[in-house]
Amino acid sequence: MMREIIRDKAEEENQLFVLNGRLPSMLPREKVRHLVISSECRWPTEGDVLEGISNMSHIRSLTVNGECPPRLIIPSKMKILRVLDLEDCLNATDEHLNGIGELRHLKYLGLRQTGITRLPESLGRLKFLQSLDVRGTIVTTVPQAITKLEKLRHLLAGNGMLHDDNIINSLQSRPSFAWRKVGSISGRTLWHQVGSSAVTIRQHSGVSLPSGFGRLKSMHSLGRVNVGKDGQRILKDISKLAGLCNLEITELTDRDGPEFRDMIHELVDLRDLEVRSRTGRSGSLRCLNLIESPPPHLITLRLHGHLGRLPLWIGHLQEITKIKLLATELEQDAIEMLGDLRNLTGLHLWRKSYIGQELRLGARKFAKLKLLDINHLENLVSLVIEGASTPQLEWLWLYQCCRLSDDENGVVGVALLQRLRKLRLKFCGDKPKLEDLLQRQLGNHQNFPQFECQ
């Protein structure tokens, strides 16, 4: 109700106008600050949908939801446009960026989940641009002209760790798994894209940066960057971005190790770091062992690639709150190290991140852990929670662990989780005995946790 009141008031004062199938005669004749074009519209095949708006010179932001009008061309008379958001317009094409260089006051350009394939050189004219979002597109290169954008703070590209080959295949075979929202890409949007172009998602996992990118000293968030073709040069450029807080790197190889180490030592303000090896499941991240001084204030760490053993410096990340591991092939000693991280609240162990048959959460470990997400651990037979471990755990998720023992050894110690709120056991095969046992244990639990199984 409050949303409708705010929207009506904004429209009344000509601050906001939502175009959702209204007749041309109902288009605004007064100045409008914020224009939203809704997916509910059914547009004619000819003519520019914006031609009926008499005064566009005052528009500060233009948002298009859903299907992009077939003849939508950004008019050059939107001289003071600050925000252009085409997110989820799958039919938006490179043609829609014609003349983008004329929008000299643009601060935000959102092209996420669109059909854009390349970025024009005219982006170099947008001197005030602060955010450029091309995640979920097949844009693989950034034009040289972007090095002129001294105010650029956020460059976001590629896809999150959820878009891996085996995980995507699992989503295709089990659509109900798409409830999750990992990173910042919704499961619904992911499922829509996977159904049409899973191969494209896997092949275009990041962008390569042009030479001279290191002069953009205002950069705050950068990802995902593909360092495969010219890794040493790109890593040296990134190391010059001293104020960088969020960084995602893919296609990293061991030969890039020295440059990667030097880069990490320079980026002392990093809060969020994602590193992915070159060849996915068989790739190696052994170069992480070269790091001597990790970012002292790192909060989130995501790793995809073979490690075998966790680098020792990870055990010293006392401010870390979230860790996601994929294809790292770790064993119980790594779990012991992670259990000593005093501020860790979320641990995600995805496909082949752990290769042991028994995963044991030892006593007096994981003091602040609230979420344990175990996904597609093919070898896992037993999860054991010892007394006095994970005292804060609220959510325990088990997905696609088909070898879990269908008896009291499958999941041990659930009754000890005093703060447990929800237990999920999904896509683990037919486990009637284990499900019945867990149901009875949770029925006697003081919090009456919710139990989901399938």
Side-chain angles (χ1 to χ4, degrees), residues 88-104:
D88 286 332
C89 295
L90 298 179
N91 65 326
T93 64
D94 298 342
E95 181 184 357
H96 290 97
L97 297 184
N98 290 343
I100 193 71
E102 300 301 318
L103 305 178
R104 301 299 179 88

Side-chain angles (χ1 to χ4, degrees), residues 235-304:
L235 293 173
K236 288 180 179 178
D237 261 350
I238 295 176
S239 67
K240 300 175 184 178
L241 307 177
L244 205 61
C245 291
N246 307 300
L247 175 63
E248 298 177 9
I249 286 181
T250 187
E251 302 296 303
L252 188 70
T253 63
D254 287 341
R255 73 167 181 266
D256 300 321
E259 287 76 21
F260 179 76
R261 174 200 59 201
D262 295 342
M263 179 198 71
I264 291 296
H265 290 170
E266 293 294 328
L267 303 180
V268 296
D269 288 333
L270 267 185
R271 301 292 194 276
D272 184 302
L273 176 63
E274 177 179 318
V275 184
R276 179 174 173 171
S277 61
R278 165 163 288 185
T279 54
R281 79 178 78 176
S282 61
S284 172
L285 289 180
R286 289 175 295 178
C287 62
L288 269 64
N289 291 308
L290 299 177
I291 297 176
E292 299 173 356
S293 302
H297 306 297
L298 200 63
I299 295 176
T300 302
L301 178 65
R302 298 181 297 280
L303 303 177
H304 177 186

Side-chain angles (χ1 to χ4, degrees), residues 155-287:
L155 174 58
L156 308 174
N159 299 296
M161 284 177 63
L162 183 60
H163 293 257
D164 278 299
D165 46 2
N166 278 9
I167 294 182
I168 283 184
N169 291 335
S170 299
L171 281 170
Q172 287 178 307
S173 62
R174 298 177 174 91
S176 59
F177 192 78
W179 67 270
R180 301 185 64 190
K181 183 175 182 180
V182 179
S184 53
I185 299 178
S186 68
R188 181 177 300 176
T189 302
L190 169 63
W191 178 249
H192 182 82
Q193 268 208 322
V194 167
S196 60
S197 185
V199 175
T200 299
I201 289 176
R202 292 201 300 272
Q203 290 180 342
H204 299 280
S205 59
V207 293
S208 58
L209 301 179
S211 59
F213 193 86
R215 68 171 63 107
L216 302 182
K217 303 300 183 181
S218 297
M219 286 299 301
H220 183 278
S221 302
L222 179 59
R224 172 181 298 187
V225 178
N226 189 322
V227 299
K229 294 183 179 179
D230 196 3
Q232 297 179 8
R233 190 268 304 168
I234 292 176
L235 293 173
K236 288 180 179 178
D237 261 350
I238 295 176
S239 67
K240 300 175 184 178
L241 307 177
L244 205 61
C245 291
N246 307 300
L247 175 63
E248 298 177 9
I249 286 181
T250 187
E251 302 296 303
L252 188 70
T253 63
D254 287 341
R255 73 167 181 266
D256 300 321
E259 287 76 21
F260 179 76
R261 174 200 59 201
D262 295 342
M263 179 198 71
I264 291 296
H265 290 170
E266 293 294 328
L267 303 180
V268 296
D269 288 333
L270 267 185
R271 301 292 194 276
D272 184 302
L273 176 63
E274 177 179 318
V275 184
R276 179 174 173 171
S277 61
R278 165 163 288 185
T279 54
R281 79 178 78 176
S282 61
S284 172
L285 289 180
R286 289 175 295 178
C287 62

Side-chain angles (χ1 to χ4, degrees), residues 97-106 109 111 118-132 141-152 155 210 213 215-216:
L97 297 184
N98 290 343
I100 193 71
E102 300 301 318
L103 305 178
R104 301 299 179 88
H105 295 276
L106 201 65
L109 179 57
L111 305 174
R118 63 179 180 84
L119 297 174
E121 286 287 339
S122 59
L123 283 180
R125 304 177 195 167
L126 307 180
K127 301 298 184 180
F128 297 99
L129 192 66
Q130 297 180 7
S131 299
L132 174 59
T141 59
V142 175
Q144 182 68 41
I146 206 170
T147 59
K148 302 176 183 179
L149 307 181
E150 298 180 356
K151 295 184 180 295
L152 190 64
L155 174 58
F213 193 86
R215 68 171 63 107
L216 302 182

Side-chain angles (χ1 to χ4, degrees), residues 39 64-68 85-92 110-115 135 185-186 189-190 192-193:
S39 60
V64 181
N65 291 325
E67 184 178 355
C68 194
D85 185 3
L86 303 180
E87 181 176 341
D88 286 332
C89 295
L90 298 179
N91 65 326
L111 305 174
R112 184 176 173 186
Q113 303 291 107
T114 65
R135 287 174 293 180
I185 299 178
S186 68
T189 302
L190 169 63
H192 182 82
Q193 268 208 322

